Amino acid sequence: MAPSAWGLGGGHQLLATAEASLRTAGFVAGALWILETNLAARRFNERQGWAPHGARKIDDRGNLVLLEFRYATTL
């Protein structure tokens, strides 16, 4: 999402819709991966009730290595 759109409610609505879709499909928990360096996304998801799960992974793209944290929530 473009920084100019931050704080307008689009991210919250998108996440709420995704969570509702998962619940409708019968899921009781959700997980997502967030880049370690994306502090804005980490804070946003934490405010929405998601929490670091403890899992980490490295996405090695050859000339670029990305560290990601797993976040989870109960639906």
Side-chain angles (χ1 to χ4, degrees), residues 58-66:
I58 296 173
D59 184 0
D60 187 346
R61 298 183 177 206
N63 62 341
L64 181 64
V65 177
L66 304 170

Side-chain angles (χ1 to χ4, degrees), residues 1-14 44 47:
M1 182 176 296
S4 61
W6 293 355
L8 300 178
H12 174 74
Q13 184 60 44
L14 179 63
F44 169 80
R47 284 193 309 269

Side-chain angles (χ1 to χ4, degrees), residues 8-55:
L8 300 178
H12 174 74
Q13 184 60 44
L14 179 63
L15 187 58
T17 299
E19 291 172 351
S21 294
L22 289 169
R23 280 191 294 276
T24 298
F27 290 93
V28 295
L32 56 87
W33 292 91
I34 303 176
L35 291 173
E36 173 190 35
T37 56
N38 192 342
L39 299 179
R42 291 172 58 189
R43 284 191 301 267
F44 169 80
N45 284 286
E46 288 171 8
R47 284 193 309 269
Q48 304 308 312
W50 292 70
H53 180 267

